[in-house]
Amino acid sequence: MKQLIKRELNALWHDPWQLALVSYIPLVGIFGLWWLFSAGLPRQLPVAIVDQDQSQISRMLVRQLTANAAIIPIHYQDINSAKASMEKAETYAMVVLPFQLNRDLLTGHQPSIDIRYNSQYLLVGKLLSSQLQLSLADGLKRKALIKQLAAGVPMAQAEVNLNLVKTQISALYNANSNYVVFLLPPLLIALGQLLAMLVFANSLNRELRLNTMQEWFSLGTRRVLWAKILVYTPLIVLQGRLILTLLYQYLGLPLAGQFGQLLLAQIVMLLAVWLMVLAIFFLLQDSARVVSFCTALFAPAFPFMGITFPTQDMPKLAQWWRELMPSSHYIDTHVGLVSYGQSFATFTHQVMSYWGYLLLIPVIVFLARRVKRATHDVAAETRCNEAS
């Protein structure tokens, strides 16, 4: 086995692309994604303001919007210019303060403040929708309070009239709706799965590229496979350890469960990835097709995790595809450990959900034997041709 591990390490050392996949490419990807979301929350998003009233109250509402850290008001003279800025993605939302807004409020009428946002930017749109309504409602409440006090309503009664029911909305496990907590862990998991797939697929494809399949089978199919697993599993687990260290030790994201269980869950996910890549490799026996098929299979890992869209509302085909990906099983364990601090019994039950991947083992054995026979036949035919 030592000789086989040495053979694999020697191959790794002489393969620059494989070396990049296990060294600096994961680091670039991890720190690039962290840098992208390091701000935590989007701030100073441009919003088009059309003030058709030009009154004291309309200017007060604009000041309310300016005071919100998520919004930068940009004034436009008319609605068409504001619409054009949204179509060019120069602004993400538009607020129209209508003509005679002040008069309608003073005379007891109900003016309509037009708020539009670009829903193509789903998260930005939802954030601006809530922040615009909060800022405008806060400004209008102050105006209503002054009006009631001027009418002789006691302060306590006026506050009750304006706030009949007080609500408090708190996001569970992400109190300040931080995008680092929300998006970074699943993105890094999806990236890690993709890199793990590429590393193992490249290791297998090298046998095809260098025409060493015959040597592989002569050395022992299982022994060479174990050598590959023993070399690449610790390297990929090290990448996973780096991701967990960055998230829950360096960045200090909340972790209710145990760090070691997260690492163990990553190892189980990794072994499931190895089994899938092995089955595809022995089935296709073509380097380009193996990488292309695996990439197409694992690329949609992030949307299938159920973080941004509930899995039960996905079409059946998408739910079946989701079940194929090991990251979809891992993310349930990850969320359970990070957010709920789930028990070891629950952790064990979730790990058991990988049992379906064990069905790939007889398939891999069957396909490997078929490839072995074909390789021997080709070698025998070549020897006959050389002898003749």
Side-chain angles (χ1 to χ4, degrees):
M1 182 57 73
K2 287 183 180 177
Q3 291 299 321
L4 293 177
I5 292 176
K6 188 176 177 182
R7 171 181 182 267
E8 200 59 39
L9 289 173
N10 186 53
L12 171 62
W13 182 252
H14 289 90
D15 189 337
W17 175 237
Q18 189 77 330
L19 270 178
L21 283 174
V22 298
S23 57
Y24 67 86
I25 287 182
L27 294 177
V28 171
I30 291 169
F31 288 105
L33 284 173
W34 167 73
W35 173 77
L36 186 64
F37 294 101
S38 59
L41 286 172
R43 294 180 183 276
Q44 299 185 335
L45 299 169
V47 174
I49 304 293
V50 181
D51 186 357
Q52 296 176 330
D53 194 43
Q54 295 294 328
S55 62
Q56 183 182 6
I57 190 168
S58 67
R59 288 191 289 273
M60 182 271 291
L61 291 176
V62 173
R63 287 196 296 274
Q64 284 291 124
L65 295 175
T66 307
N68 192 315
I71 300 169
I72 288 185
I74 299 176
H75 291 272
Y76 288 86
Q77 295 299 320
D78 54 72
I79 294 177
N80 290 333
S81 301
K83 281 184 179 177
S85 71
M86 285 187 66
E87 290 170 355
K88 294 176 184 175
E90 295 173 352
T91 57
Y92 294 109
M94 179 177 77
V95 177
V96 180
L97 302 172
F99 179 59
Q100 295 186 339
L101 171 66
N102 190 38
R103 192 198 70 175
D104 288 346
L105 288 173
L106 293 176
T107 56
H109 292 85
Q110 291 185 340
S112 296
I113 297 177
D114 190 3
I115 299 176
R116 306 180 193 184
Y117 62 90
N118 191 343
S119 60
Q120 283 183 320
Y121 304 100
L122 184 62
L123 298 176
V124 170
K126 289 176 67 177
L127 175 67
L128 282 178
S129 172
S130 61
Q131 294 300 313
L132 287 171
Q133 292 183 51
L134 284 172
S135 296
L136 293 175
D138 189 48
L140 291 172
K141 277 183 182 178
R142 292 184 187 178
K143 186 70 176 178
L145 178 64
I146 293 172
K147 183 179 177 182
Q148 293 203 30
L149 292 176
V153 179
M155 177 62 113
Q157 184 60 45
E159 288 183 345
V160 170
N161 293 340
L162 291 174
N163 300 291
L164 287 176
V165 178
K166 285 189 176 180
T167 59
Q168 177 178 345
I169 300 175
S170 301
L172 287 174
Y173 314 117
N174 189 7
N176 58 355
S177 301
N178 192 322
Y179 277 51
V180 172
V181 179
F182 175 49
L183 288 178
L184 191 57
L187 280 172
L188 290 177
I189 292 165
L191 174 68
Q193 178 180 247
L194 205 57
L195 286 172
M197 175 276 295
L198 284 173
V199 166
F200 204 58
N202 282 338
S203 169
L204 298 171
N205 285 337
R206 190 189 63 247
E207 309 287 352
L208 288 174
R209 288 198 314 271
L210 302 181
N211 198 23
T212 55
M213 291 296 289
Q214 179 69 24
E215 178 187 338
W216 177 357
F217 292 126
S218 64
L219 292 171
T221 309
R222 280 180 295 180
R223 295 178 72 235
V224 173
L225 272 180
W226 275 115
K228 291 180 184 294
I229 291 172
L230 289 175
V231 168
Y232 290 110
T233 301
L235 292 175
I236 304 301
V237 169
L238 192 62
Q239 295 176 9
R241 179 71 169 81
L242 177 64
I243 291 174
L244 295 178
T245 301
L246 172 70
L247 293 175
Y248 302 109
Q249 293 181 341
Y250 178 73
L251 297 179
L253 301 187
L255 172 61
Q258 295 182 5
F259 194 89
Q261 289 185 17
L262 279 177
L263 205 57
L264 184 58
Q266 284 194 351
I267 294 173
V268 176
M269 180 188 77
L270 198 57
L271 294 176
V273 172
W274 290 167
L275 287 174
M276 292 199 70
V277 174
L278 266 175
I280 294 168
F281 170 77
F282 281 120
L283 178 67
L284 297 180
Q285 283 293 286
D286 182 280
S287 302
R289 289 181 182 176
V290 169
V291 172
S292 300
F293 190 91
C294 290
T295 304
L297 180 64
F298 289 119
F302 175 70
F304 283 171
M305 285 183 185
I307 297 296
T308 55
F309 191 83
T311 56
Q312 64 269 20
D313 291 330
M314 293 179 182
K316 279 295 178 189
L317 181 61
Q319 293 186 29
W320 293 338
W321 191 345
R322 177 182 187 275
E323 289 298 317
L324 288 176
M325 281 187 285
S327 59
S328 301
H329 299 265
Y330 171 79
I331 194 65
D332 294 336
T333 308
H334 186 94
V335 172
L337 285 169
V338 169
S339 300
Y340 311 124
Q342 65 186 16
S343 65
F344 186 74
T346 307
F347 169 78
T348 307
H349 178 74
Q350 287 178 339
V351 168
M352 295 296 289
S353 70
Y354 289 88
W355 69 268
Y357 294 98
L358 296 177
L359 299 177
L360 288 173
I361 293 177
V363 176
I364 292 169
V365 171
F366 170 76
L367 293 173
R369 286 177 177 173
R370 192 182 68 172
V371 172
K372 185 177 180 180
R373 283 196 300 270
T375 305
H376 285 166
D377 291 345
V378 170
E381 186 178 348
T382 304
R383 284 195 296 271
C384 288
N385 291 336
E386 289 174 354
S388 62

